[in-house]
Amino acid sequence: MFRTALRNVLAHKARLLMTVLAVTLGVAFVSGTLVFTDTLKKSLSGQSAKDYAGVAVSVTSYGQGRDENGEKEGEPGLSQATLDKVKALPGVATVSGRVTGFAGVGDENGKLIGAGWANKGANFTPVKDGKDPRYTFVQGAGPAKADEVALDKATADTGTYKVGDKVRVATNGPVKEYSLAGVFTTEDGAVQAGGSLVLFETKVAQELYLKPGYFMEMSVAAKDGTSADTLLADIKPLVDSKHTTAQTGAALAAKQAKDIEKGLSQMSTMLLIFAAISLFVGIFLIYNTFTMLVTQRTKELALLRAVGANRGQVMRSVLAEALVVGALSAAVGLLSGIGLAVAMRSVIGSIGAKLPGGDLVIAPGTIIAALVIGILVTTIAAVLPAWRTGRIAPVAAMGSAHLPATAKSLVVRNVIGSIISVLGIGLVLLGVSTGGNSGRMTIGAGAFFMLIGMIVLLPLLSKPVIGAVRPLLQKVFGIPGKLASQNAVRNPRRTAVTAASLAIGLTLVTTLSVLGITVGKVVDRMSTEKLKADYKVSMANDMGYLDTSVAETLAKTPGIKAVSPQTAGYFMVGDSFRSASGVTPAAIGQLLNIETVSGSVDSLGKGEVLVAEKTAKSQELAVGSTIKVKYEDGQEGTLKVGAVYKDMEGLLSPYVLDDKILSQHSEESAVSEVYVNVEGGSSKAGQQKVVDALGKNPAINVATRQDMRNEMGGQINLMLNIMYGLLGMALIISVLGVVNTLAMSVFERTQEIGMLRAIGLDRGRVKNMIRLEAVAISLFGAVLGVAIGVFLAWAVGSTIAKSMPNYELILPWDRIGIFLLLAAVVGVLAAMWPARSAARLNMLTAIKTE
């Protein structure tokens, strides 16, 4: 029986090739994801171990903390005195302190070199022979003076800088020029991520990033014969244990390896989910393929039964075919996955990130997973066709009769499908009423049951849905249209299985599209309706704070008519911390559209506070209410509510007050952005005026209103494009499913097609009939997928509407139309081979076919 199964596999190469391709795509994504993440994890973990190879103990300071009254306590970092005490310990060989922060290097045109978020500055700390072991200099040496810096080789090459050149470097203040003392190579994470690294003399770095005489980290090397654990025990009493962490270099490397694994697990999970979707869709294709193969070999299987094979043997022979196909698919998928992992590394390298070198990691678990998934998915999909094969009686099979679906089986199927669908819809509605993260989890569970219920009910739905368009097909395309609609529902189970794959794919695509576009419109409204400023000035790395001199400089620049910083701060109300935004009262009304529910924005100028509507309701505040607060410096005060405004999450904190009030109670100003209006409105000349006023600082970004819209909406569009690409695999498999169904339909109707040809239906009309059948099936699945996708998007959107002001569900009719058009194109493309085969049938031979 196994030899028979193997012969049957080889006898139907074209049919089984589609099955192999469907399983291969899913397995390739699974194995490729595992190989890529295992390789990345090993290389990054190896890099961490290498970074801490010479470090016996590492001490990290978290800066000054705050006591229960909100007052600062402890030192701002590790003092030089602490480093000297550690250095004096008998087992210590060397001690080096480190401070880091943002530093941007400009090219000859003043533009920032490298990815803004990965541009870093640090201090050069020679520990032995005037060298810092973390860097290898290829030109010059490390900075020894306050006006010197050193650059990583990639940044120096990009800016065409050589030793002795003047380099424009900016942190969070005005840009400064330094002399280039040296160029080095490094495997620092910032450089590997496509950023830059600037090394300053230690005192300069301390002034820039912390405080003179203090460090953020301390690395300790041990003398020969001294263990890291012994040294750690000696160091711990010398550091402030409340605001620092001391651990061995080995422990720190291990911790970073775990953090890397945790970070990669999220990406891996997302990719594996899409692989699972592809495999799930592939099950329908495999099921149809084996159903078709079994149907084509009905007489052959009946003959086996007649010569002594029992039902179990026939069933096992079909499953053996599935086993062979699954094993082949798994092997091809594994090899394709390895190629995919290599491609993913290349793509990451092409966008500027530099991954640590190393061989691909093909773990035994990856090989086992690929084989198990390929074989298991194929075998599971073939079980039902194999079981049905065993139930066909030999005599009935000899006569080409098949066991029809009984009315009882269809009733049972419809009842089960209805129950599952109602359960799914109920869970979705429950999630809507619950809201929040828990509500979205419930909606996810409901969506799963809805899809399962839809798959079960599709045979019931196919007749009325496709029947509704039959008059249109007949009117437009004549006899071929009528025959196509009848053929599409002739075998409702097979039509349902084919449509299901398209429905699942388009459900996901539609849900993501509606949500993405709706959220994008909310963000767009925020940037157009709430923002009145011509420009937003911020740090290029989108993480640091601007120096207070930025707003002051712009306010004094001719041609600039309104400037307001937005300072991030807080105060305490009772035992709770409340975030606040500091703005310029006289200008903020010209830069942001603050809609008040009661009171006036002008009250800011009187030292009063604006409170967001939601916060005012929850805290029972109104215009005229007073709030007793404790500021960052520990001083207490009373604020009067001057206005209640409509929430502007993402732009303003729940409390808004005069920037001068926040600044006088803060040691360091935290200006996240500065809003600017220029005379004559937004223009290239106006933007250049702002850039020039700030000294063409490469670390500072001047964004127009359109830039702000693109920045906020670009991330959403990028996410959608990635999702479309990943879900494209499921749609490719859907195409193969339609091909299979049509090929099966042509095979079963060989005699009928011959009769149609004999009575005058020419080859062109036969092709049209097959094409229209494919389009009808494809659009049937697409319409269901779009409908369910819109429903799920509404449900998920309801859970986030409260957290997003002005949220309103938007149906992107243009994209929905494109989805339906693509579904029709899928049908046309899938019908090319079956239609050609049907048109080329010899009518006399076809008529004689049993």
Side-chain angles (χ1 to χ4, degrees):
M1 293 300 293
F2 183 78
R3 287 197 300 270
T4 301
L6 184 61
R7 179 185 60 79
N8 288 326
V9 169
L10 298 176
H12 300 89
K13 300 180 185 67
R15 299 278 192 275
L16 292 173
L17 179 62
M18 291 185 288
T19 301
V20 170
L21 181 58
V23 180
T24 295
L25 286 172
V27 173
F29 220 128
V30 172
S31 55
T33 298
L34 294 176
V35 170
F36 176 71
T37 52
D38 286 346
T39 301
L40 193 57
K41 180 170 63 178
K42 182 181 178 181
S43 60
L44 292 176
S45 298
Q47 183 61 50
S48 297
K50 185 177 180 180
D51 289 342
Y52 293 98
V55 179
V57 176
S58 176
V59 182
T60 302
S61 171
Y62 300 108
Q64 291 176 297
R66 295 186 180 275
D67 60 21
E68 57 185 11
N69 296 318
E71 297 181 1
K72 289 185 177 181
E73 59 179 3
E75 295 185 296
L78 299 166
S79 67
Q80 184 63 52
T82 301
L83 265 69
D84 293 339
K85 290 179 183 178
V86 172
K87 191 173 183 180
L89 292 173
V92 173
T94 60
V95 177
S96 61
R98 185 173 173 84
V99 286
T100 59
F102 171 77
V105 180
D107 60 17
E108 60 181 6
N109 298 317
K111 292 186 177 180
L112 184 69
I113 297 174
W117 62 271
N119 290 342
K120 195 168 75 171
N123 62 309
F124 175 69
T125 309
V127 294
K128 190 177 181 181
D129 301 328
K131 296 181 180 180
D132 189 326
R134 292 169 295 190
Y135 315 109
T136 301
F137 280 83
V138 295
Q139 295 178 36
K145 300 177 183 178
D147 63 346
E148 292 181 341
V149 294
L151 293 178
D152 68 275
K153 189 176 184 301
T155 301
D157 290 344
T158 302
T160 64
Y161 289 119
K162 297 179 181 179
V163 173
D165 289 348
K166 293 296 182 180
V167 181
R168 292 167 59 83
V169 181
T171 51
N172 65 338
V175 64
K176 296 181 181 179
E177 281 195 346
Y178 296 86
S179 178
L180 184 60
V183 177
F184 58 89
T185 59
T186 179
E187 293 182 349
D188 186 279
V191 178
Q192 297 297 322
S196 62
L197 179 60
V198 183
L199 296 182
F200 299 93
E201 191 269 334
T202 294
K203 290 182 180 179
V204 174
Q206 288 175 330
E207 290 176 357
L208 288 172
Y209 301 128
L210 191 58
K211 191 175 181 179
Y214 288 92
F215 299 91
M216 297 174 180
E217 299 174 11
M218 172 173 56
S219 298
V220 183
K223 290 181 179 179
D224 293 339
T226 303
S227 70
D229 292 331
T230 300
L231 203 55
L232 178 63
D234 292 339
I235 291 174
K236 277 188 174 181
L238 301 179
V239 297
D240 181 3
S241 60
K242 189 174 183 180
H243 302 298
T244 61
T245 298
Q247 53 192 324
T248 63
L252 188 57
K255 181 179 180 301
Q256 286 198 359
K258 286 185 178 179
D259 291 341
I260 289 169
E261 184 174 355
K262 184 178 179 181
L264 291 176
S265 66
Q266 296 178 351
M267 176 183 67
S268 176
T269 299
M270 183 189 74
L271 294 175
L272 290 175
I273 286 173
F274 284 100
I277 292 170
S278 296
L279 287 168
F280 183 62
V281 173
I283 286 176
F284 298 103
L285 169 60
I286 300 164
Y287 168 81
N288 260 359
T289 298
F290 277 92
T291 299
M292 178 168 60
L293 293 177
V294 166
T295 302
Q296 290 177 328
R297 289 161 39 213
T298 299
K299 287 189 174 182
E300 174 189 326
L301 294 173
L303 183 60
L304 290 173
R305 291 289 309 280
V307 298
N310 57 37
R311 289 184 176 181
Q313 287 178 309
V314 171
M315 181 177 176
R316 286 193 293 272
S317 73
V318 176
L319 291 178
E321 290 181 47
L323 186 67
V324 172
V325 173
L328 177 63
S329 303
V332 175
L334 177 60
L335 294 175
S336 302
I338 294 171
L340 181 62
V342 173
M344 290 171 77
R345 289 185 70 175
S346 300
V347 168
I348 290 181
S350 68
I351 60 176
K354 302 170 187 176
L355 299 177
D359 297 330
L360 285 177
V361 177
I362 306 173
T366 300
I367 299 173
I368 293 172
L371 292 174
V372 169
I373 290 172
I375 294 172
L376 197 61
V377 167
T378 310
T379 305
I380 289 174
V383 164
L384 189 57
W387 178 72
R388 286 178 175 170
T389 299
R391 293 180 62 222
I392 300 176
V395 174
M398 285 290 190
S400 297
H402 303 284
L403 291 177
T406 63
K408 180 180 178 182
S409 69
L410 291 175
V411 170
V412 171
R413 176 174 182 148
N414 293 337
V415 170
I416 293 174
S418 299
I419 293 173
I420 296 174
S421 298
V422 170
L423 173 62
I425 295 171
L427 286 173
V428 170
L429 296 177
L430 176 62
V432 171
S433 62
T434 303
N437 289 330
S438 59
R440 286 189 283 275
M441 294 293 290
T442 305
I443 290 173
F448 174 76
F449 283 109
M450 277 189 66
L451 288 175
I452 297 298
M454 175 198 70
I455 292 168
V456 177
L457 284 177
L458 276 176
L460 177 67
L461 297 173
S462 62
K463 285 191 175 182
V465 173
I466 296 179
V469 298
R470 182 180 301 168
L472 177 63
L473 290 175
Q474 184 173 354
K475 184 176 181 181
V476 176
F477 299 100
I479 295 300
K482 180 180 180 180
L483 293 174
S485 60
Q486 291 175 339
N487 293 331
V489 295
R490 177 175 293 187
N491 191 325
R493 293 191 182 212
R494 190 186 309 132
T495 297
V497 171
T498 306
S501 58
L502 269 173
I504 293 169
L506 282 174
T507 294
L508 297 172
V509 170
T510 303
T511 302
L512 292 171
S513 295
V514 173
L515 281 175
I517 290 172
T518 299
V519 173
K521 288 292 184 183
V522 172
V523 172
D524 191 57
R525 285 197 200 104
M526 187 181 296
S527 61
T528 54
E529 297 177 7
K530 301 298 182 183
L531 276 173
K532 296 163 67 176
D534 295 327
Y535 309 106
K536 183 182 77 171
V537 180
S538 60
M539 292 296 292
N541 63 349
D542 293 326
M543 293 184 287
Y545 291 121
L546 294 164
D547 191 85
T548 53
S549 63
V550 171
E552 295 168 359
T553 300
L554 292 173
K556 297 175 183 176
T557 302
I560 294 181
K561 64 180 184 179
V563 176
S564 174
Q566 180 168 192
T567 304
Y570 72 89
F571 47 72
M572 293 186 68
V573 178
D575 296 329
S576 302
F577 286 91
R578 304 292 167 83
S579 62
S581 293
V583 299
T584 301
I588 193 63
Q590 303 173 54
L591 301 165
L592 293 179
N593 183 19
I594 304 176
E595 298 181 57
T596 57
V597 178
S598 57
S600 171
V601 176
D602 295 337
S603 61
L604 285 170
K606 304 174 185 178
E608 297 176 353
V609 63
L610 309 186
V611 184
E613 186 177 12
K614 289 181 183 177
T615 302
K617 288 181 180 179
S618 64
Q619 302 299 319
E620 298 182 351
L621 297 174
V623 174
S625 299
T626 57
I627 310 171
K628 291 184 178 181
V629 301
K630 179 181 285 189
Y631 296 102
E632 293 182 50
D633 60 0
Q635 293 187 28
E636 296 182 354
T638 301
L639 291 173
K640 181 181 178 181
V641 178
V644 175
Y645 71 94
K646 291 185 178 181
D647 290 74
M648 297 174 66
E649 294 180 24
L651 289 177
L652 287 175
S653 298
Y655 296 87
V656 182
L657 62 160
D658 190 338
D659 180 57
K660 293 180 180 178
I661 298 176
L662 275 185
S663 299
Q664 69 184 8
H665 292 290
S666 303
E667 292 184 12
E668 298 177 358
S669 181
V671 180
S672 54
E673 55 252 337
V674 175
Y675 295 110
V676 183
N677 268 350
V678 298
E679 293 178 358
S682 179
S683 65
K684 288 186 177 180
Q687 186 179 21
Q688 191 61 47
K689 181 179 293 185
V690 177
V691 172
D692 292 342
L694 297 174
K696 296 181 180 179
N697 193 325
I700 295 179
N701 181 47
V702 179
T704 64
R705 197 179 304 179
Q706 186 60 46
D707 292 334
M708 289 182 262
R709 294 171 66 182
N710 294 341
E711 175 188 344
M712 292 185 280
Q715 297 177 356
I716 295 171
N717 290 330
L718 176 62
M719 180 196 72
L720 284 176
N721 290 334
I722 292 173
M723 297 299 181
Y724 291 156
L726 294 172
L727 290 171
M729 287 199 313
L731 296 180
I732 290 173
I733 296 173
S734 299
V735 173
L736 300 178
V738 177
V739 172
N740 252 3
T741 295
L742 294 176
M744 182 68 175
S745 178
V746 170
F747 170 76
E748 289 181 344
R749 293 172 12 230
T750 299
Q751 189 178 59
E752 175 187 320
I753 292 172
M755 291 293 294
L756 290 172
R757 289 291 315 284
I759 61 175
L761 198 67
D762 59 26
R763 289 185 175 182
R765 290 185 177 182
V766 169
K767 288 182 179 180
N768 282 341
M769 177 182 68
I770 303 300
R771 292 192 195 105
L772 291 173
E773 181 181 347
V775 171
I777 294 173
S778 298
L779 286 177
F780 169 54
V783 168
L784 289 178
V786 167
I788 297 174
V790 169
F791 175 68
L792 293 178
W794 165 81
V796 175
S798 299
T799 65
I800 62 176
K802 293 181 180 179
S803 61
M804 297 190 73
N806 303 317
Y807 181 91
E808 182 182 349
L809 187 71
I810 295 174
L811 296 181
W813 294 110
D814 53 342
R815 295 204 184 189
I816 290 175
I818 291 173
F819 296 158
L820 296 176
L821 179 62
L822 286 176
V825 171
V826 163
V828 172
L829 293 176
M832 290 178 65
W833 173 51
R836 184 169 177 270
S837 299
R840 293 180 64 187
L841 286 174
N842 182 288
M843 66 179 75
L844 296 179
T845 304
I847 291 172
K848 292 189 294 181
T849 301
E850 296 182 8

